[in-house]
Amino acid sequence: MSATEWSEEDFDGASPARTRAARYVRMSTDHQRYSTENQADAIDAYAARRGFDIVRTYADEGRSGLSIAGHEALRTLIDDVRNGLADFTAILVYDISRWGRFQDADESGYYEFVCREAGITVHYCAEPFENDGSPSSTIMKSVRRVMAGEFSRDLSTKVFAGQCRLVTLGYRQGGPAGYGLRRQLIDEKGQPKAELRAGEQKSLQTDRVVLVPGPAKEVETVRRIYRLFTEEHRSEREIAAMLNAEGRKTDLGRPWTRSAVHQILSNEKYVGNNVYNRVSFKLKKKRVVNPPDMWIRGDGAFEAIVDPASFQAAARILEERARRFSDDDMLRMLSDLLASRGVLSGLVIDEIEEMPSAASYRHRFGSLMRAYHLVGYAPNRDYRYIETNRHLRLLHPEIVGEVTRGIEATGGIVGIDPATDLLTVHGELTVSIVVVRCQATQAGTLRWKLRLDTSLRPDLTIVVRLDAGNLRPRDFYILPWIDVGSSEILRMAELNGLHLDAYRVDDLSSLYHLLLRSQMPRAA
């Protein structure tokens, strides 16, 4: 007998005691029959038959079931259970797939176990078994959880295959156009319809998006960047400085950086090639940079704005510069530079185009001071603090750019204040990004000192804590102003207690989920 087929007679005519229950509903984009309203109706009917009083509803609308990072309501439910805030003793869910299509079936079981440990039972209202802990129900739950995860894997494979086919046909698959290019919407017959602005998406399934040349001034700037790099042998950093001195801005309205110039010099879309799958983020797992043999290509898909010969010349320069040097090669070049200049610094190293950059020395040897020591150079003063400051100045715009691209990849619209680097998302929410250096105490423990800009009062502050070598991000804190705005300075240790570590994340995927806009259903 189905769990939705119970009748009052099954309880021998006795009126069951009323039980306080919470209702959890989740709507994904795959089947309309799984809308939150339909789930709520089925759960209400189940509750009426079983003697439950629904006192609270948790709803995730338009959310993927792959990860709890995007389940704001489910996370809140679990937190309420863990913290003893639940005023109910049962949770009613439509079926196991609505609880979540987790790729690890044990994750689904873990969240149910958390509830059961707190004395709260989970009822799957549309499943053909009772969730009573019996061997048969345990086996059925395990099978259904695996099936739910397999559905997502199968769907992901089909979607990826479809995207690959569209790429080879010359259609753009997501992401901003980039400087010098624009996204053009075309109909099913290939006729142009309209230019898509930042954050806009196609509304008809039969429409497609292609890249077209942007404003003439931007196109000429792109070509000029290639000339400066290939003919005048200017570095990306020098080119960025020249563009900034002329008052030019990127397509995001921000000052030029080395990475922004490098992206233009290395992206094949400027010669009209449509390249996809350079980075994978399938099934909400970690982002993976794929080797070139895994890329999906559609060569000559768009109108080129850079001559192929210029692109190949830039590619050869970048490939030669990125050639892997051994530790001995790098130290030999550093020793030769010391002999010719008599002094070493990050600026001196970066002036030599044939050498690896100062950042490469930091990455390979842990710090510039360590590399200096290995070639027998001892500066007259301790430059480590200066080097770290310089690294922070270079790192900050790169992280701002990465966060901006991450938000825009999910359809967000981001503006940036060039004076303060304050991001404004959807014209409503302000976000500040702060990169914090790491300092080691005499006892060897790590500390971070965060200064909040009380004059900006951003809605969210993204704190980027650097690792012990101050080379790369260690972790992130997403701090709401309403919780931390009263503190001008925050001193942070490796472990800070729940009041701060509740906001800690290993990457910013949860932030992008948080800023993702969901379409509200139209009222009847």
Side-chain angles (χ1 to χ4, degrees):
M1 179 180 293
S2 169
T4 59
E5 297 173 354
W6 290 88
S7 63
E8 294 295 342
E9 287 77 8
D10 294 306
F11 296 96
D12 298 326
S15 298
R18 309 298 291 183
T19 302
R20 293 173 65 86
R23 176 174 55 189
Y24 174 69
V25 294
R26 179 181 66 81
M27 182 182 72
S28 59
T29 57
D30 46 10
H31 295 293
Q32 184 59 34
R33 69 186 180 93
Y34 278 141
S35 71
T36 53
E37 292 86 354
N38 292 343
Q39 293 173 58
D41 289 344
I43 292 172
D44 288 348
Y46 180 94
R49 290 193 302 272
R50 298 297 188 92
F52 291 107
D53 283 331
I54 298 176
V55 298
R56 191 179 300 275
T57 296
Y58 298 84
D60 281 315
E61 301 195 19
R63 298 299 188 182
S64 164
L66 295 174
S67 167
I68 199 171
H71 290 187
E72 296 299 329
L74 181 57
R75 291 171 61 184
T76 301
L77 188 157
I78 299 299
D79 287 343
D80 287 349
V81 171
R82 283 172 170 158
N83 298 325
L85 301 177
D87 55 353
F88 45 84
T89 57
I91 299 171
L92 308 185
V93 189
Y94 182 77
D95 63 12
I96 284 179
S97 71
R98 296 303 91 193
W99 188 246
R101 293 193 182 114
F102 300 104
Q103 295 306 290
D104 186 343
D106 290 340
E107 184 175 358
S108 177
Y110 168 72
Y111 297 127
E112 183 180 329
F113 173 77
V114 170
C115 297
R116 190 165 63 248
E117 282 288 282
I120 299 173
T121 58
V122 178
H123 296 254
Y124 301 109
C125 304
E127 295 290 0
F129 58 85
E130 287 293 312
N131 190 18
D132 55 7
S134 64
S136 60
S137 71
T138 301
I139 293 172
M140 286 293 292
K141 278 195 300 183
S142 299
V143 172
R144 301 284 286 185
R145 285 167 180 162
V146 172
M147 290 173 60
E150 188 60 32
F151 174 86
S152 294
R153 285 188 286 271
D154 182 58
L155 181 62
S156 174
T157 300
K158 292 178 180 178
V159 170
F160 179 70
Q163 290 173 326
C164 292
R165 178 178 177 275
L166 292 175
V167 167
T168 58
L169 292 175
Y171 301 125
R172 178 76 171 174
Q173 294 300 298
Y179 188 83
L181 297 169
R182 293 295 185 270
R183 295 182 302 147
Q184 175 72 51
L185 185 67
I186 61 175
D187 62 20
E188 68 274 13
K189 296 180 181 180
Q191 298 301 312
K193 294 182 66 175
E195 179 182 300
L196 293 176
R197 295 191 294 270
E200 291 183 340
Q201 301 179 10
K202 67 187 185 74
S203 57
L204 298 179
Q205 191 172 8
T206 55
D207 287 346
R208 297 287 179 254
V209 177
V210 297
L211 294 183
V212 295
K217 288 184 178 180
E218 290 190 17
V219 172
E220 176 53 35
T221 299
V222 171
R223 293 170 178 166
R224 180 187 173 202
I225 288 173
Y226 275 86
R227 290 195 299 269
L228 290 170
F229 187 73
T230 60
E231 299 175 11
E232 299 186 22
H233 304 291
R234 301 294 187 97
S235 68
E236 296 104 311
R237 204 176 304 281
E238 288 178 311
I239 296 172
M242 293 173 63
L243 296 176
N244 288 331
E246 296 170 4
R248 299 181 184 270
K249 301 292 184 181
T250 68
D251 54 313
L252 301 177
R254 305 198 322 266
W256 287 86
T257 64
R258 177 192 177 280
S259 61
V261 175
H262 182 84
Q263 195 276 337
I264 287 179
L265 292 169
S266 59
N267 199 311
E268 293 186 46
K269 64 187 177 184
Y270 291 101
V271 290
N273 294 342
N274 196 16
V275 183
Y276 181 66
N277 200 42
R278 285 180 287 195
V279 177
S280 297
F281 187 43
K282 295 179 180 178
L283 297 175
K284 307 300 180 182
K285 295 182 179 179
K286 290 185 177 180
R287 295 181 183 270
V288 177
V289 178
N290 295 321
D293 60 355
M294 291 181 62
W295 296 358
I296 308 301
R297 309 183 59 85
D299 292 341
F302 314 126
E303 179 182 348
I305 65 173
V306 173
D307 181 78
S310 298
F311 184 84
Q312 292 299 326
R316 286 193 295 270
I317 294 172
L318 293 173
E319 182 179 359
E320 177 61 25
R321 194 178 63 187
R323 182 168 61 89
R324 178 77 176 178
F325 294 104
S326 67
D327 290 359
D328 290 340
D329 289 338
M330 293 182 68
L331 293 176
R332 176 182 51 77
M333 288 186 283
L334 191 64
S335 182
D336 291 344
L337 180 62
L338 174 61
S340 62
R341 295 291 184 91
V343 66
L344 292 176
S345 72
L347 293 175
V348 172
I349 294 171
D350 285 339
E351 286 177 358
I352 310 301
E353 289 294 327
E354 296 77 14
M355 284 187 64
S357 65
S360 298
Y361 279 97
R362 294 188 191 96
H363 177 75
R364 184 71 65 85
F365 299 104
S367 69
L368 278 180
M369 293 301 296
R370 170 65 176 164
Y372 295 163
H373 175 75
L374 292 174
V375 298
Y377 176 64
N380 293 330
R381 55 175 293 191
D382 189 350
Y383 286 97
R384 284 176 295 183
Y385 197 87
I386 297 176
E387 292 290 347
T388 299
N389 278 347
R390 179 173 178 271
H391 180 57
L392 292 182
R393 288 195 298 271
L394 298 175
L395 186 62
H396 187 270
E398 294 182 3
I399 293 177
V400 171
E402 180 180 346
V403 172
T404 301
R405 289 189 292 271
I407 297 173
E408 290 181 334
T410 60
I413 301 175
V414 185
I416 184 168
D417 186 331
T420 63
D421 281 338
L422 191 68
L423 305 182
T424 301
V425 184
H426 300 303
E428 301 170 341
L429 184 81
T430 54
V431 180
S432 175
I433 300 175
V434 182
V435 181
V436 187
R437 72 171 69 246
C438 178
Q439 295 177 312
T441 67
Q442 292 183 348
T445 57
L446 303 181
R447 295 289 185 268
W448 294 263
K449 184 178 180 181
L450 168 65
R451 293 183 181 274
L452 297 172
D453 194 333
T454 55
S455 63
L456 294 179
R457 297 181 61 84
D459 298 311
L460 292 177
T461 297
I462 301 175
V463 179
V464 185
R465 296 203 310 180
L466 296 184
D467 58 13
N470 286 310
L471 299 176
R472 61 188 63 85
R474 166 194 172 106
D475 53 21
F476 305 85
Y477 282 72
I478 305 175
L479 302 178
W481 180 263
I482 193 172
D483 288 344
V484 301
S486 60
S487 303
E488 185 173 350
I489 296 178
L490 288 177
R491 290 178 170 81
M492 307 175 74
E494 295 176 72
L495 298 175
N496 302 282
L498 186 62
H499 71 289
L500 272 182
D501 286 346
Y503 301 111
R504 179 192 170 280
V505 292
D506 291 323
D507 58 52
L508 294 177
S509 59
S510 58
L511 173 72
Y512 306 145
H513 279 292
L514 177 67
L515 299 180
L516 180 64
R517 275 191 165 177
S518 299
Q519 185 173 359
M520 298 297 292
R522 184 184 298 273

